[in-house]
Amino acid sequence: MSSVAPPDSPRAPADAGRRVWVFGGLLVAAALLAWSNSFSGPFVLDDMPAITENPTIRGFASAFSPPGDGQTVSGRPLVNLTFALNWAIGGASVRGYHVFNLTIHVLAALALFGVVRRTLQALPSRMSSVAAPDSQLLAAPKRREGGSTLNAATTPLAFAIAALWVLHPLQTESVTYLSQRAESLAGLCLLLTLYAAIRGAEATCHLLADKPRSVAAAAWHALAFVACLAGMAAKEIMYAAPLLVLLHDRTFSAGTFRAALGRRPWFYGGLASTWALLGWLVWHTGNRGMTAGFGLGISPWNYLLTQCGALVHYLRLTGWPAPLVLDHGFSVVTGPAGVWPQAGLLIALAGITLVGLARAKPWSFLGAWFFLLLAPSSSVLPVATQTIAEHRMYLALAAVIAGGVLALWSLLGRRSFGVLALIAVALGALTAHRNRDYRSAIGLWQDTIAKRPENARAFGELANALFLAGRLDESLAAYERALGLLSNFPKTHHNYAGALAAAGRRDEAAAQYQIALAQSPALPDAYYGLGNVRREQGRIAEAIACYEAALRFRPDFAPAHNNLANLLAATGRVDEAGAHFAAALRALPNFADAEYNWGNTLARANRPAEAVPHFEAAVRLAPGLVGAHENLGVTLLMLDRTAEGIRELETAQRLAPDRESVRTNLAIARQRLAP
């Protein structure tokens, strides 16, 4: 039996529905305006392995099995599936990914608007039910406004909180940095779970014999379960969803945990069951490719000390969002001396939150929201590759903003909305300004280095961007600077080796690949790169061994299969080569080069009939591949399919009018048809 009667739904004015739609529209318009300059930002950092180099998003079937080697999508099949949807629509065009990310962010803001609005509507009834002194905090403006109540301000207050949240520049890392879709997607799922649970609780309170309400309650509870299950497949922070739903129910509706659980035991059992999916995904990914977990070189104690400074830094950025930094590097605090003031502040806030939770104070829900959402990445479990990351504040930011808005309203009443409007405009302008930093990878990493000049990874990523821009000398200098700051970084050694190889400095490139492998023996990309260098040096046996090593660590490494197959074919091992071409195409069905090379291998082995289907597949997958059209034409001529061969050679000639071999083969073919 509940100790507190369920509150009645507050009576809304007749135009409440219209006002909600107006405020919702304003929320969407504000977000679109603030992010209007963000749609052309390139792929950076984790975007490449998660999107452009991720073979599992090339089809929807494979999307449910994302790579498990520590990428952003590892153990997060829902995120991987959304990237597969983007790939199916627009391939590697960045605009579609940005539109999708912003859509998620806007939907999350609308869900937050709904959650806050209905929570504030329930608050006066909750306060009167328990006669809590906290009611004075939100009742204070009553005297200043000549009788206005919290109920009259719920919609504009909810809008203000959602608007500041959606416009805050601290959110750019979760929205404009594409691979951090994991953060925003999990945030959307959590907010939808909570909103649907609130609506389900409201409908449950009024069920009695009302069949329409019974159907509505079932529908809302089903939506909450589906959203919760989906969120577990998006990111690990979703673990908090069942806890926050129960805490919200206890605090704003049922009055006690026993009452909340007793009223909907089946519902909470369903939400808790979604932890099974999260547990399986976490177990399946292990330490996320040596990027997160214990035993990775950072002790839990040192990581916890680092997070004391990080959390206070996040709180400061909430009120003063500068400087914003994409990558804070690998910094770790090794002793409490440097962070004891931050640790003391956090201990005090956590203690106040626990006391408030024990006494069922409404404000304590904000503290619980903040600490529960940040616990997975900002406590004792080390995230070795990112000890500090601003995107972790994506959903936790809502609690800080809500507390600030409500405190301001309690002081100024209706006059606070003018102040909040000015803050919203300022935040939107700062977001638009921050999005300008994302317009180019080179500019973004230069900005990061200006703010964190000792960040080795930032120099390495700047070097990558310069290399892709064709600025090879600058790229090599940036790699050298990165390794000067942090020599034990196999990824940078690997990338530096690739740039050296492009500069024709093969011996130095091989040495860098070998250093990368000495530091990380299970690095298939380094084996692959070293194999390419050895092949160019004519050291075929060593190249074959390198490709085979790459495939031991990554059996679905399509380019390694392709290159190995070419070398095997060159040494007369045609059947073994065919097996590796087939493996390459199983891993990457649209791999035109593998089809082309397989066709060449069979044609050289005097098996033209077998070669033709592979050449045909190559020209279908890559219509501009001149060699495939030419070799298909020649092979068809060998099979006495002269007219078809001429058509393919004519296509090759249109694509490459100055190619002498095409001209010669076409002349021979036409002579064959001459009377």
Side-chain angles (χ1 to χ4, degrees), residues 191-215:
L191 289 166
L192 287 175
T193 300
L194 184 54
Y195 179 76
I198 293 170
R199 295 298 302 269
E202 292 173 355
T204 300
C205 287
H206 297 87
L207 278 179
L208 300 177
D210 191 342
K211 186 175 180 180
R213 288 188 182 274
S214 176
V215 172

Side-chain angles (χ1 to χ4, degrees), residues 77-415:
L78 181 61
V79 181
N80 209 48
L81 181 62
T82 64
F83 285 143
L85 178 60
N86 272 129
W87 188 271
I89 295 172
S93 172
V94 294
R95 187 175 184 84
Y97 296 88
H98 283 294
V99 170
F100 203 113
N101 274 26
L102 183 55
T103 300
I104 292 170
H105 187 47
V106 169
L107 291 175
L110 293 172
L112 177 63
F113 174 46
V115 166
V116 176
R117 178 173 173 271
R118 290 190 173 272
T119 300
L120 292 178
Q121 285 177 338
L123 195 56
S125 298
R126 171 77 182 115
M127 290 294 92
S128 62
S129 299
V130 299
D134 302 66
S135 58
Q136 296 305 312
L137 173 64
L138 296 176
K142 182 174 183 179
R143 294 187 299 274
R144 299 175 184 167
E145 296 189 28
S148 71
T149 64
L150 179 60
N151 264 348
T154 54
T155 300
L157 279 173
F159 169 75
I161 291 168
L164 296 185
W165 182 82
V166 80
L167 294 173
H168 203 290
L170 190 54
Q171 306 290 45
T172 50
E173 190 171 308
S174 299
V175 180
T176 313
Y177 176 20
L178 294 170
S179 58
Q180 286 310 322
R181 178 180 297 180
E183 196 78 50
S184 59
L185 188 57
L188 171 61
C189 290
L190 193 149
L191 289 166
L192 287 175
T193 300
L194 184 54
Y195 179 76
I198 293 170
R199 295 298 302 269
E202 292 173 355
T204 300
C205 287
H206 297 87
L207 278 179
L208 300 177
D210 191 342
K211 186 175 180 180
R213 288 188 182 274
S214 176
V215 172
W220 284 116
H221 287 128
L223 175 60
F225 173 79
V226 170
C228 192
L229 186 67
M232 298 296 176
K235 194 171 184 181
E236 294 78 3
I237 62 165
M238 195 66 188
Y239 90 97
L243 302 176
L244 289 171
V245 169
L246 177 60
L247 187 58
H248 188 282
D249 195 358
R250 186 286 300 258
T251 305
F252 300 105
S253 180
T256 67
F257 286 119
R258 178 178 294 180
L261 291 169
R263 193 164 60 187
R264 300 185 290 175
W266 42 270
F267 174 60
Y268 287 108
L271 292 185
S273 71
T274 64
W275 281 328
L277 173 61
L278 179 61
W280 183 86
L281 291 170
V282 170
W283 174 81
H284 187 67
T285 54
N287 59 14
R288 299 184 58 80
M290 304 294 289
T291 63
F294 302 113
L296 300 179
I298 302 177
S299 73
W301 172 244
N302 287 343
Y303 189 75
L304 180 62
L305 292 176
T306 303
Q307 297 316 299
C308 290
L311 290 176
V312 175
H313 177 67
Y314 301 154
L315 288 172
R316 185 191 66 76
L317 289 176
T318 301
W320 189 261
L324 295 177
V325 181
L326 175 64
D327 180 26
H328 288 261
F330 306 98
S331 60
V332 177
V333 175
T334 57
V339 294
W340 67 262
Q342 296 96 319
L345 174 62
L346 292 172
I347 291 171
L349 291 175
I352 293 169
T353 297
L354 289 173
V355 171
L357 289 173
R359 298 180 179 180
K361 303 297 185 183
W363 50 261
S364 66
F365 181 77
L366 299 178
W369 180 278
F370 179 83
F371 285 110
L372 284 173
L373 288 171
L374 287 168
S377 59
S378 303
S379 54
V380 297
L381 181 67
V383 181
T385 53
Q386 273 193 315
T387 55
I388 302 173
E390 293 166 7
H391 64 259
R392 294 170 187 163
M393 271 294 286
Y394 181 73
L395 207 49
L397 179 64
V400 184
I401 288 176
V405 168
L406 293 174
L408 185 64
W409 186 78
S410 71
L411 292 173
L412 301 180
R414 191 175 299 163
R415 287 173 296 172

Side-chain angles (χ1 to χ4, degrees), residues 462-499:
L462 174 61
N464 295 342
L466 290 167
F467 177 76
L468 292 174
R471 296 159 63 175
L472 186 56
D473 290 340
E474 294 174 80
S475 173
L476 292 171
Y479 281 127
E480 290 162 6
R481 174 64 173 148
L483 291 171
L485 290 168
L486 182 64
S487 61
N488 187 24
F489 197 2
K491 180 181 177 182
T492 304
H493 284 289
H494 166 267
N495 293 337
Y496 183 31

Side-chain angles (χ1 to χ4, degrees), residues 427-468:
L427 292 177
L430 289 172
T431 291
H433 185 268
R434 175 57 175 163
N435 280 328
R436 293 173 58 188
D437 295 331
Y438 283 84
R439 288 183 299 186
S440 77
I442 292 174
L444 182 60
W445 291 113
Q446 287 174 334
D447 171 79
T448 303
I449 290 168
K451 297 167 181 174
R452 296 291 183 271
E454 300 303 310
N455 186 339
R457 180 162 54 200
F459 276 102
E461 294 298 329
L462 174 61
N464 295 342
L466 290 167
F467 177 76
L468 292 174

